[in-house]
Amino acid sequence: MKKLFLALSLLMVGSLGIAASTHFWRGTVLKETQVKEKWGAEPFLEKNFKNGSMSQRAKMAYSLLQMKKEFKGLSVPNLRKKLGSPDGYYFSDTIPAYMIAQAQKKGEDSWQIVFMIDKDRKVKDIFVHKNCCD
Amino acid sequence: MDCAMAPTDMGSFECSNQCDELCKSTYPPSYLFSLSELYPGLTDAERALVAAEPAKMVQAYKLSWKAEDLCNKIYLSSRLNDESDACRHFVWSSLLVNDVGEDFSKRVLNAHEQAKDQPEDQKEMDSHNNEVGLKAAKSMIKSKTFFEDRLLGEFEKHLKKKDFIILKERKAQ
């Protein structure tokens, strides 16, 4: 009987794991070199990012990726103070993401910078993710 | 006395009033709770719900991905506080009601809005738009007209009637 319960539990845990891995492999994430190639490497300026258009933000994306260490550990409210209100969406609306490109028609891509958070809701990683559409 | 082994199956197994006890997960809640760390961005309330109902929560999150994919057919990006956000909440709550029932849907949706650092106006927007989705789905289920491919049409109908709270209107694409 115990074996049956163990098998059922493992199945349940397995489903959870598969769903999690599906999520982690979901969507497209650009390498830093690809980000630089696509949008250049303008230095990150807080004020310009906060008030800038998507294309202005996009030009700073590469520099932001170079600043992961500085952003690591930052709380979500402090991130908002620094960069303004997030306007992108990645997996859940509790993960801050900032749009850097919006598709204008089908076949084009939308991109965003994601600030992945840990269980304490502090920044643990930054990456550029294809918001839409795979 | 010698020990002997005999093959056995479930043929004579009965648990009657012990089912709840026997069917409990053999994993301690703390372990299941830690598994929920695999999911990024969950609120504490969501992590607790994952620990209590892992299988149902996997289904709930799969439906949230489906909602996002459906809404991207209209908006070409998933954004925050705009119409695409309203669409995701409408479609997700509708799919949830149809799949896991109203009570569990409400638990999932409420847990999702428990992030301490989420601004109040965003919580209000999401909760309101969830409610529109729940009502629409219940009505469709009642009239046996709930079909996934109808959801976007229903969303657009409600959008036209200005039934949603939208904090930041999207400029034309």
Side-chain angles (χ1 to χ4, degrees), chain A residues 75-90:
Chain A
S75 68
V76 174
N78 282 336
L79 184 73
R80 277 206 194 97
K81 273 183 206 161
K82 223 173 163 58
L83 302 183
S85 293
D87 56 356
Y89 175 87
Y90 177 76

Side-chain angles (χ1 to χ4, degrees), chain B residues 49-128:
Chain B
L49 210 47
V50 170
E53 301 274 7
K56 270 185 169 180
M57 285 302 277
V58 168
Q59 179 60 8
Y61 283 104
K62 277 165 78 179
L63 293 178
S64 79
W65 305 335
K66 186 183 265 186
E68 186 186 352
D69 289 342
L70 280 172
C71 292
N72 277 343
K73 287 184 182 172
I74 307 179
Y75 292 110
L76 303 180
S77 68
S78 299
R79 293 169 68 172
L80 218 53
N81 302 331
D82 70 347
E83 291 85 343
S84 70
D85 188 335
C87 180
R88 280 194 309 276
H89 282 270
F90 175 87
V91 174
W92 187 31
S93 49
S94 299
L95 291 170
L96 275 172
V97 176
N98 187 50
D99 216 280
V100 297
E102 187 179 355
D103 289 345
F104 192 71
S105 300
K106 283 183 174 171
R107 287 173 69 192
V108 175
L109 295 168
N110 289 337
H112 189 65
E113 298 306 323
Q114 301 303 312
K116 288 172 198 144
D117 48 25
Q118 190 184 13
E120 279 306 315
D121 57 350
Q122 289 181 19
K123 277 186 198 179
E124 196 190 330
M125 171 177 163
D126 293 347
S127 302
H128 174 87

Side-chain angles (χ1 to χ4, degrees), chain A residues 1-2 4-6 9-10 12-13 15-20 22-24 26 54 75-77 80 85-95 97 99 101-110 112 116-121 124 129 131-133, chain B residues 10 13 22-27 31-32 35-44 46-47 50 54-55 57-58 61-62 64-66 68-69 72-73 75-81 85 88-89 112-113 115-119 122 126 168 170 172-173:
Chain A
M1 218 41 237
K2 268 187 179 174
L4 178 70
F5 290 136
L6 190 67
S9 304
L10 282 174
M12 212 157 62
V13 169
S15 311
L16 201 68
I18 288 164
T22 304
H23 159 66
F24 282 117
R26 193 169 181 255
M54 278 190 215
S75 68
V76 174
R80 277 206 194 97
S85 293
D87 56 356
Y89 175 87
Y90 177 76
F91 183 69
S92 160
D93 39 20
T94 60
I95 299 172
M99 294 298 296
Q102 166 68 49
Q104 299 301 317
K105 55 180 191 248
K106 281 186 183 171
E108 289 183 2
D109 299 329
S110 297
Q112 61 188 350
M116 182 53 80
I117 49 173
D118 61 19
K119 65 181 168 57
D120 298 318
R121 306 193 49 75
K124 69 170 180 182
H129 170 256
N131 176 295
C132 184
C133 294
Chain B
M10 296 291 288
F13 179 75
L22 290 170
C23 293
K24 267 185 188 170
S25 167
T26 52
Y27 286 93
Y31 181 66
L32 287 173
L35 279 174
S36 68
E37 300 303 343
L38 289 169
Y39 291 82
L42 294 189
T43 64
D44 289 347
E46 284 177 302
R47 286 209 295 271
V50 170
M57 285 302 277
V58 168
Y61 283 104
K62 277 165 78 179
S64 79
W65 305 335
K66 186 183 265 186
E68 186 186 352
D69 289 342
N72 277 343
K73 287 184 182 172
Y75 292 110
L76 303 180
S77 68
S78 299
R79 293 169 68 172
L80 218 53
N81 302 331
D85 188 335
R88 280 194 309 276
H89 282 270
H112 189 65
E113 298 306 323
K116 288 172 198 144
D117 48 25
Q118 190 184 13
Q122 289 181 19
D126 293 347
K168 196 175 177 186
R170 179 184 278 241
Q173 279 169 181

